[in-house]
Amino acid sequence: MSTIVRVGSHPLIAQLFTFTFEYSTVAGEEPSVGDVVILKSDGKVKKSDADFSLAALGVVLSKNTSAGICTVCMHGIVAVTAAAAINRGAVVGSAANGRVKAIPAAGATYAASDVENAKAKIGKALTSAAAAGDTVVIALEVA
């Protein structure tokens, strides 16, 4: 079994590409470093606020509060906070409060929610999380 070794507390482990966005300063929407963010209709990003949002954009790596901008990783290996227990290898999507959650497997008979959940994939867990609030490393691949 391989072990992922992290140096420091920065959420970025391996970067493929990032972009800079303005972020929302509305109470409850302002993201922090390590949060999953979604794109708002005004072009700004905000902390994800629902499970399996199709608008999930990536993970905040840094913030410049004086400029109101943040750097968002859209593809890479990042550390994020779990909203619930997650098994290594699980497909994950956004969750409330800027966290990630394992996308449940489809049932024996596909439902519309199974299709929507599959479209909400933002990555795959490379480590496991025993409970909500644990850090999990994911291979981020926002489509």
Side-chain angles (χ1 to χ4, degrees):
M1 178 175 10
S2 61
T3 302
I4 296 173
V5 178
R6 295 187 60 214
V7 178
S9 61
H10 196 277
L12 177 68
I13 296 171
Q15 173 180 325
L16 294 178
F17 65 85
T18 61
F19 292 94
T20 301
F21 293 90
E22 286 184 78
Y23 62 83
S24 173
T25 56
V26 174
E29 290 187 354
E30 186 172 339
S32 298
V33 171
D35 282 347
V36 174
V37 291
I38 60 175
L39 191 60
K40 295 176 55 171
S41 60
D42 63 4
K44 294 181 180 182
V45 295
K46 70 174 185 171
K47 180 186 327 190
S48 68
D49 57 1
D51 292 350
F52 315 132
S53 170
L54 297 179
L57 190 63
V59 175
V60 176
L61 299 181
S62 63
K63 273 177 61 174
N64 179 332
T65 53
S66 61
I69 58 174
C70 60
T71 301
V72 176
C73 180
M74 298 173 76
H75 286 269
I77 309 297
V78 294
V80 292
T81 303
I86 297 174
N87 292 324
R88 181 187 321 248
V91 173
V92 297
S94 67
N97 205 27
R99 297 180 176 203
V100 296
K101 188 174 185 178
I103 295 175
T109 305
Y110 282 100
S113 61
D114 295 326
V115 174
E116 290 305 305
N117 287 349
K119 287 194 254 179
K121 172 187 174 183
I122 64 167
K124 185 172 276 204
L126 300 177
T127 62
S128 59
D134 287 355
T135 298
V136 61
V137 176
I138 65 170
L140 182 67
E141 48 187 64
V142 178

